[in-house]
Amino acid sequence: MRRPLGQPLDVPELPGTLRRSDLTAANAQAVHQLLVLGQAQGGGRVLDFSRWLDAFDHDPECDRQLCFVLEDALGIVAVAHCWTSAFIRNLVVHPRARQRGIGHSLLGVVFAAFAQRHEGHVDLKVMESNLAARRLYERAGMQYVQRRELEPR
């Protein structure tokens, strides 16, 4: 799916008492755990912790500034791990925090960050069976650009 960035962006406020934080050594394990949880529930792939963390230092697609983390008083509630190629690699909202507009707000943060980087659009892949994610992305103005059949495992 793709979200063009040339049109005006509606960046919603973060709901409730959420705050944005950076990816740090202190929260990296919790961020990774949430990404793994999202993989188990919605598909996608997440490297094991050490390779995932190492990629931020050695992979030109990874930039800590493009790992968007939202927290509340109980901990990490949402993560969008993006690549420098304006691609959302993973977006996960913790099950305890779903249905509160957090995913939509996080997408707005991502879109605004890539617009500031003068990107023309943001892309992602989503499993056709992941209906909740597809509805979220559609509401955020993303459009389908390509459909591919999965290769058998």
Side-chain angles (χ1 to χ4, degrees), residues 83-107:
W83 284 341
T84 57
S85 57
F87 186 84
I88 301 172
R89 176 70 177 102
N90 291 294
L91 187 143
V92 181
V93 176
H94 195 284
R96 71 176 171 81
R98 292 185 182 151
Q99 302 299 316
R100 295 181 11 206
I102 295 170
H104 192 261
S105 294
L106 184 55
L107 281 170

mmCIF file of all heavy atoms in Angstrom, residues 83-107:
data_model
loop_
_atom_site.group_PDB
_atom_site.id
_atom_site.type_symbol
_atom_site.label_atom_id
_atom_site.label_comp_id
_atom_site.label_asym_id
_atom_site.label_seq_id
_atom_site.Cartn_x
_atom_site.Cartn_y
_atom_site.Cartn_z
ATOM 1 N N TRP A 83 12.054 2.062 7.324
ATOM 2 C CA TRP A 83 13.335 2.069 6.634
ATOM 3 C C TRP A 83 13.558 3.426 5.983
ATOM 4 O O TRP A 83 12.604 4.170 5.707
ATOM 5 C CB TRP A 83 13.372 0.990 5.580
ATOM 6 C CG TRP A 83 13.563 -0.395 6.137
ATOM 7 C CD1 TRP A 83 14.048 -0.745 7.361
ATOM 8 C CD2 TRP A 83 13.258 -1.611 5.466
ATOM 9 N NE1 TRP A 83 14.076 -2.101 7.484
ATOM 10 C CE2 TRP A 83 13.603 -2.669 6.345
ATOM 11 C CE3 TRP A 83 12.735 -1.921 4.220
ATOM 12 C CZ2 TRP A 83 13.448 -4.001 6.004
ATOM 13 C CZ3 TRP A 83 12.586 -3.250 3.879
ATOM 14 C CH2 TRP A 83 12.935 -4.279 4.760
ATOM 15 N N THR A 84 14.795 3.740 5.687
ATOM 16 C CA THR A 84 15.139 5.021 5.074
ATOM 17 C C THR A 84 14.539 5.175 3.680
ATOM 18 O O THR A 84 14.443 6.280 3.176
ATOM 19 C CB THR A 84 16.664 5.201 4.996
ATOM 20 O OG1 THR A 84 17.220 4.106 4.264
ATOM 21 C CG2 THR A 84 17.278 5.279 6.386
ATOM 22 N N SER A 85 14.109 4.083 3.072
ATOM 23 C CA SER A 85 13.491 4.128 1.747
ATOM 24 C C SER A 85 12.007 4.464 1.820
ATOM 25 O O SER A 85 11.260 4.191 0.875
ATOM 26 C CB SER A 85 13.702 2.790 1.031
ATOM 27 O OG SER A 85 13.175 1.724 1.804
ATOM 28 N N ALA A 86 11.574 5.080 2.917
ATOM 29 C CA ALA A 86 10.180 5.482 3.122
ATOM 30 C C ALA A 86 9.245 4.274 3.084
ATOM 31 O O ALA A 86 8.203 4.270 2.447
ATOM 32 C CB ALA A 86 9.747 6.549 2.118
ATOM 33 N N PHE A 87 9.655 3.259 3.812
ATOM 34 C CA PHE A 87 8.907 2.004 3.884
ATOM 35 C C PHE A 87 8.653 1.677 5.354
ATOM 36 O O PHE A 87 9.584 1.711 6.165
ATOM 37 C CB PHE A 87 9.714 0.877 3.228
ATOM 38 C CG PHE A 87 8.977 -0.421 3.131
ATOM 39 C CD1 PHE A 87 8.112 -0.667 2.073
ATOM 40 C CD2 PHE A 87 9.151 -1.400 4.092
ATOM 41 C CE1 PHE A 87 7.422 -1.872 1.976
ATOM 42 C CE2 PHE A 87 8.471 -2.604 4.006
ATOM 43 C CZ PHE A 87 7.607 -2.845 2.948
ATOM 44 N N ILE A 88 7.397 1.386 5.677
ATOM 45 C CA ILE A 88 7.053 0.964 7.034
ATOM 46 C C ILE A 88 7.264 -0.542 7.094
ATOM 47 O O ILE A 88 6.497 -1.309 6.518
ATOM 48 C CB ILE A 88 5.600 1.332 7.392
ATOM 49 C CG1 ILE A 88 5.388 2.838 7.294
ATOM 50 C CG2 ILE A 88 5.261 0.816 8.795
ATOM 51 C CD1 ILE A 88 3.935 3.270 7.440
ATOM 52 N N ARG A 89 8.314 -0.931 7.782
ATOM 53 C CA ARG A 89 8.662 -2.346 7.881
ATOM 54 C C ARG A 89 7.705 -3.082 8.805
ATOM 55 O O ARG A 89 7.243 -4.158 8.518
ATOM 56 C CB ARG A 89 10.110 -2.472 8.380
ATOM 57 C CG ARG A 89 10.572 -3.881 8.616
ATOM 58 C CD ARG A 89 10.732 -4.604 7.282
ATOM 59 N NE ARG A 89 11.239 -5.935 7.481
ATOM 60 C CZ ARG A 89 10.491 -7.038 7.433
ATOM 61 N NH1 ARG A 89 9.200 -6.973 7.216
ATOM 62 N NH2 ARG A 89 11.026 -8.218 7.617
ATOM 63 N N ASN A 90 7.424 -2.493 9.954
ATOM 64 C CA ASN A 90 6.497 -3.079 10.929
ATOM 65 C C ASN A 90 5.781 -1.966 11.670
ATOM 66 O O ASN A 90 6.408 -0.954 12.020
ATOM 67 C CB ASN A 90 7.244 -3.933 11.972
ATOM 68 C CG ASN A 90 7.819 -5.192 11.389
ATOM 69 O OD1 ASN A 90 7.086 -6.075 10.970
ATOM 70 N ND2 ASN A 90 9.142 -5.291 11.361
ATOM 71 N N LEU A 91 4.502 -2.169 11.907
ATOM 72 C CA LEU A 91 3.725 -1.264 12.743
ATOM 73 C C LEU A 91 2.877 -2.133 13.663
ATOM 74 O O LEU A 91 2.128 -2.987 13.174
ATOM 75 C CB LEU A 91 2.842 -0.347 11.913
ATOM 76 C CG LEU A 91 2.138 0.743 12.719
ATOM 77 C CD1 LEU A 91 2.064 2.037 11.927
ATOM 78 C CD2 LEU A 91 0.781 0.321 13.195
ATOM 79 N N VAL A 92 3.045 -1.941 14.958
ATOM 80 C CA VAL A 92 2.337 -2.775 15.935
ATOM 81 C C VAL A 92 1.775 -1.894 17.040
ATOM 82 O O VAL A 92 2.474 -1.028 17.562
ATOM 83 C CB VAL A 92 3.291 -3.820 16.570
ATOM 84 C CG1 VAL A 92 2.539 -4.699 17.556
ATOM 85 C CG2 VAL A 92 3.973 -4.669 15.509
ATOM 86 N N VAL A 93 0.532 -2.150 17.400
ATOM 87 C CA VAL A 93 -0.077 -1.561 18.589
ATOM 88 C C VAL A 93 -0.342 -2.714 19.547
ATOM 89 O O VAL A 93 -0.910 -3.738 19.165
ATOM 90 C CB VAL A 93 -1.388 -0.811 18.253
ATOM 91 C CG1 VAL A 93 -2.057 -0.296 19.525
ATOM 92 C CG2 VAL A 93 -1.125 0.323 17.281
ATOM 93 N N HIS A 94 0.082 -2.551 20.784
ATOM 94 C CA HIS A 94 -0.097 -3.601 21.791
ATOM 95 C C HIS A 94 -1.592 -3.923 21.927
ATOM 96 O O HIS A 94 -2.432 -3.009 21.899
ATOM 97 C CB HIS A 94 0.472 -3.136 23.128
ATOM 98 C CG HIS A 94 0.656 -4.236 24.103
ATOM 99 N ND1 HIS A 94 -0.392 -4.801 24.796
ATOM 100 C CD2 HIS A 94 1.773 -4.898 24.496
ATOM 101 C CE1 HIS A 94 0.062 -5.754 25.572
ATOM 102 N NE2 HIS A 94 1.379 -5.836 25.415
ATOM 103 N N PRO A 95 -1.933 -5.206 22.095
ATOM 104 C CA PRO A 95 -3.358 -5.568 22.228
ATOM 105 C C PRO A 95 -4.102 -4.800 23.320
ATOM 106 O O PRO A 95 -5.274 -4.479 23.160
ATOM 107 C CB PRO A 95 -3.315 -7.063 22.553
ATOM 108 C CG PRO A 95 -2.028 -7.540 21.948
ATOM 109 C CD PRO A 95 -1.066 -6.384 22.086
ATOM 110 N N ARG A 96 -3.426 -4.445 24.415
ATOM 111 C CA ARG A 96 -4.112 -3.714 25.487
ATOM 112 C C ARG A 96 -4.462 -2.284 25.111
ATOM 113 O O ARG A 96 -5.230 -1.623 25.806
ATOM 114 C CB ARG A 96 -3.269 -3.710 26.762
ATOM 115 C CG ARG A 96 -2.035 -2.848 26.694
ATOM 116 C CD ARG A 96 -1.304 -2.820 28.042
ATOM 117 N NE ARG A 96 -0.023 -2.182 27.959
ATOM 118 C CZ ARG A 96 0.160 -0.861 27.985
ATOM 119 N NH1 ARG A 96 -0.868 -0.053 28.095
ATOM 120 N NH2 ARG A 96 1.371 -0.360 27.893
ATOM 121 N N ALA A 97 -3.919 -1.803 23.985
ATOM 122 C CA ALA A 97 -4.115 -0.400 23.617
ATOM 123 C C ALA A 97 -4.823 -0.230 22.271
ATOM 124 O O ALA A 97 -4.900 0.884 21.765
ATOM 125 C CB ALA A 97 -2.757 0.301 23.584
ATOM 126 N N ARG A 98 -5.338 -1.298 21.731
ATOM 127 C CA ARG A 98 -5.997 -1.196 20.418
ATOM 128 C C ARG A 98 -7.378 -0.557 20.527
ATOM 129 O O ARG A 98 -7.943 -0.453 21.602
ATOM 130 C CB ARG A 98 -6.100 -2.590 19.791
ATOM 131 C CG ARG A 98 -4.726 -3.105 19.418
ATOM 132 C CD ARG A 98 -4.764 -4.413 18.690
ATOM 133 N NE ARG A 98 -3.393 -4.834 18.421
ATOM 134 C CZ ARG A 98 -3.014 -6.083 18.318
ATOM 135 N NH1 ARG A 98 -3.897 -7.055 18.432
ATOM 136 N NH2 ARG A 98 -1.757 -6.372 18.093
ATOM 137 N N GLN A 99 -7.858 -0.094 19.379
ATOM 138 C CA GLN A 99 -9.178 0.529 19.268
ATOM 139 C C GLN A 99 -9.259 1.867 19.999
ATOM 140 O O GLN A 99 -10.330 2.266 20.456
ATOM 141 C CB GLN A 99 -10.276 -0.422 19.772
ATOM 142 C CG GLN A 99 -10.337 -1.740 19.043
ATOM 143 C CD GLN A 99 -10.634 -1.574 17.560
ATOM 144 O OE1 GLN A 99 -11.500 -0.799 17.185
ATOM 145 N NE2 GLN A 99 -9.902 -2.295 16.722
ATOM 146 N N ARG A 100 -8.120 2.571 20.094
ATOM 147 C CA ARG A 100 -8.095 3.886 20.744
ATOM 148 C C ARG A 100 -7.516 4.959 19.829
ATOM 149 O O ARG A 100 -7.227 6.061 20.286
ATOM 150 C CB ARG A 100 -7.273 3.813 22.034
ATOM 151 C CG ARG A 100 -7.908 2.916 23.074
ATOM 152 C CD ARG A 100 -7.179 2.798 24.391
ATOM 153 N NE ARG A 100 -6.102 3.708 24.632
ATOM 154 C CZ ARG A 100 -5.078 3.473 25.437
ATOM 155 N NH1 ARG A 100 -4.986 2.333 26.070
ATOM 156 N NH2 ARG A 100 -4.126 4.362 25.617
ATOM 157 N N GLY A 101 -7.313 4.644 18.553
ATOM 158 C CA GLY A 101 -6.785 5.631 17.620
ATOM 159 C C GLY A 101 -5.273 5.750 17.622
ATOM 160 O O GLY A 101 -4.720 6.625 16.962
ATOM 161 N N ILE A 102 -4.595 4.867 18.353
ATOM 162 C CA ILE A 102 -3.146 4.951 18.472
ATOM 163 C C ILE A 102 -2.458 4.632 17.148
ATOM 164 O O ILE A 102 -1.527 5.328 16.742
ATOM 165 C CB ILE A 102 -2.645 4.031 19.607
ATOM 166 C CG1 ILE A 102 -3.174 4.550 20.942
ATOM 167 C CG2 ILE A 102 -1.124 3.923 19.605
ATOM 168 C CD1 ILE A 102 -2.955 3.610 22.107
ATOM 169 N N GLY A 103 -2.913 3.604 16.461
ATOM 170 C CA GLY A 103 -2.319 3.250 15.172
ATOM 171 C C GLY A 103 -2.449 4.375 14.159
ATOM 172 O O GLY A 103 -1.503 4.699 13.435
ATOM 173 N N HIS A 104 -3.608 5.001 14.127
ATOM 174 C CA HIS A 104 -3.842 6.109 13.203
ATOM 175 C C HIS A 104 -2.933 7.295 13.541
ATOM 176 O O HIS A 104 -2.337 7.910 12.660
ATOM 177 C CB HIS A 104 -5.316 6.515 13.248
ATOM 178 C CG HIS A 104 -5.702 7.442 12.153
ATOM 179 N ND1 HIS A 104 -5.799 8.793 12.344
ATOM 180 C CD2 HIS A 104 -5.997 7.225 10.853
ATOM 181 C CE1 HIS A 104 -6.150 9.375 11.213
ATOM 182 N NE2 HIS A 104 -6.263 8.437 10.285
ATOM 183 N N SER A 105 -2.809 7.596 14.827
ATOM 184 C CA SER A 105 -1.921 8.688 15.248
ATOM 185 C C SER A 105 -0.471 8.373 14.914
ATOM 186 O O SER A 105 0.275 9.244 14.457
ATOM 187 C CB SER A 105 -2.057 8.928 16.751
ATOM 188 O OG SER A 105 -3.329 9.413 17.054
ATOM 189 N N LEU A 106 -0.061 7.130 15.133
ATOM 190 C CA LEU A 106 1.311 6.735 14.837
ATOM 191 C C LEU A 106 1.593 6.841 13.345
ATOM 192 O O LEU A 106 2.665 7.311 12.938
ATOM 193 C CB LEU A 106 1.572 5.321 15.350
ATOM 194 C CG LEU A 106 2.990 4.779 15.206
ATOM 195 C CD1 LEU A 106 4.019 5.708 15.839
ATOM 196 C CD2 LEU A 106 3.073 3.382 15.820
ATOM 197 N N LEU A 107 0.636 6.458 12.521
ATOM 198 C CA LEU A 107 0.814 6.627 11.070
ATOM 199 C C LEU A 107 0.984 8.106 10.724
ATOM 200 O O LEU A 107 1.807 8.455 9.872
ATOM 201 C CB LEU A 107 -0.373 6.038 10.300
ATOM 202 C CG LEU A 107 -0.351 4.537 10.131
ATOM 203 C CD1 LEU A 107 -1.694 4.067 9.566
ATOM 204 C CD2 LEU A 107 0.794 4.094 9.235
#
